[in-house]
Amino acid sequence: MQIADTIQGVEVCGLAHFSLAETLDCGQAFRFSFQDGRWQGIAQGRQARLIQKEDGFVLEGCSLAEFERQWRRYFDLDRDYEAIRQSFLADPALAVCARYAPGIRILRQDAWETLVSFIVSQNNHVPRIKGIIERICTLFGEPVVGGYAFPTAQKLANLDEPALEPLRAGWRSGYILDAARRVADGRLPLDQIACLPLKEAREALMTVRGVGPKVAECVLLYGMGRMEAFPLDVWMKRAMALLFPGRTPEDFGPYAGIAQQYIFHYSRMQKIG
DNA sequence: CGCCAGGCTTCTA
DNA sequence: TAGAAGCATGGC
């Protein structure tokens, strides 16, 4: 991987496979969109404008310092995805999925934002999930260049259900408030939970109302960098039954979560089941 | 215009 | 302890 500080911004190249489209639109993040030839979105209070290149991407208008401070970790650039992907090719069924969208990466998103996002995701369509999350930001987040940051837990913890009514989030509003209050008052220390053994971390997250096994697993994988986490939603359950009968998440090893993302994306695009 | 959505809680046997 | 209903809302 090479990193260059250019007039345009920071250019990252030399990546074996890296796809903004596959990474930003594979169901792990909800605040990025593609318009005018570039991906843009806001993460950790900063706007990113990204252009796909042959073997990497450009972060437009980004300084090297900001890249190092934030985006290098966000895009998980120091992990050797190609080596991990190659190891998946030994399994014929997994190879099909890993070859389908080889440019997928797991983003290392903010744990709090991920928690709320996947609470919102339950029994919901992606377009509506995106809409609710955007309303959370525009109504309660701080304005930043290019839009609004995701609001802090403290900010939401001071609200009540009537105040959340404009979100049109349905019964999930109560769940969001419970999560916010637990994070704000220290009952749910996300940065500490991120370091716990997987089982204990799951149990801690599931103390939040509306957080079950699936949402907890998504927070661990997308918001806590726990690559061994393996979310099982309806698509994954169908795919597992069909493509990997008898296999358990543990069978996929320490990077099971990355395998999961290949399988999930493949099964959604192919509409398995 | 119904159907159903990257589920979870609650209720029932 | 397993299985199903109910849940608020709105894309499609």
Side-chain angles (χ1 to χ4, degrees):
Chain A
M1 175 175 69
Q2 294 95 45
I3 296 155
D5 196 359
T6 72
I7 304 265
Q8 199 182 9
V10 172
E11 176 162 13
V12 181
C13 57
L15 301 170
H17 294 93
F18 182 96
S19 167
L20 291 169
E22 290 168 6
T23 298
L24 298 174
D25 207 19
C26 68
Q28 61 175 321
F30 301 101
R31 296 206 69 198
F32 284 88
S33 60
F34 185 75
Q35 30 186 302
D36 304 324
R38 76 207 66 197
W39 288 88
Q40 55 183 291
I42 294 171
Q44 294 148 216
R46 285 289 212 161
Q47 186 193 40
R49 299 196 312 274
L50 304 134
I51 296 179
Q52 181 72 46
K53 295 291 181 183
E54 185 73 26
D55 61 345
F57 64 102
V58 170
L59 261 161
E60 281 189 309
C62 181
S63 70
L64 198 55
E66 183 187 334
F67 171 79
E68 292 295 343
R69 180 186 339 116
Q70 175 166 183
W71 303 112
R72 186 174 185 130
R73 175 183 161 86
Y74 186 80
F75 286 100
D76 205 16
L77 292 174
D78 290 300
R79 197 184 306 278
D80 189 349
Y81 275 74
E82 192 49 22
I84 295 166
R85 202 181 70 86
Q86 288 291 332
S87 75
F88 292 155
L89 299 181
D91 179 302
L94 187 51
V96 171
C97 302
R99 287 197 174 104
Y100 180 75
I104 287 179
R105 281 174 175 252
I106 301 295
L107 297 170
R108 304 196 64 167
Q109 302 180 79
D110 175 73
W112 157 243
E113 176 175 338
T114 306
L115 173 60
V116 175
S117 296
F118 282 90
I119 284 173
V120 168
S121 80
Q122 66 183 72
N123 197 229
N124 228 337
H125 297 273
V126 170
R128 185 159 175 259
I129 297 166
K130 289 182 173 177
I132 293 170
I133 292 170
E134 277 319 293
R135 288 194 289 279
I136 291 175
C137 296
T138 54
L139 287 169
F140 305 120
E142 294 296 320
V144 298
V145 173
Y148 293 85
F150 194 88
T152 64
Q154 289 73 19
K155 169 78 181 184
L156 296 189
N158 289 325
L159 302 173
D160 53 16
E161 289 214 40
L164 295 193
E165 198 277 335
L167 298 177
R168 317 303 297 157
W171 75 85
R172 303 170 193 83
S173 287
Y175 299 163
I176 294 169
L177 281 180
D178 186 49
R181 289 168 182 162
R182 286 173 185 272
V183 170
D185 69 17
R187 280 175 294 164
L188 195 73
L190 294 175
D191 49 352
Q192 293 175 36
I193 290 169
C195 303
L196 293 175
L198 201 65
K199 185 167 179 285
E200 293 174 36
R202 277 188 196 122
E203 288 168 357
L205 289 168
M206 285 169 60
T207 60
V208 179
R209 281 181 56 80
V211 175
K214 193 274 179 178
V215 171
E217 212 72 3
C218 286
V219 174
L220 282 161
L221 180 59
Y222 308 128
M224 293 180 165
R226 298 295 292 264
M227 299 295 153
E228 75 273 43
F230 197 88
L232 281 167
D233 71 316
V234 288
W235 291 93
M236 277 302 294
K237 285 175 182 170
R238 281 198 288 260
M240 289 296 285
L242 204 63
L243 303 175
F244 306 96
R247 303 274 296 276
T248 66
E250 294 74 30
D251 295 335
F252 291 86
Y255 301 109
I258 299 174
Q260 179 273 163
Q261 203 63 17
Y262 288 129
I263 299 166
F264 171 75
H265 191 248
Y266 175 80
S267 58
R268 286 226 57 172
M269 294 300 119
Q270 301 295 316
K271 298 193 186 303
I272 286 182

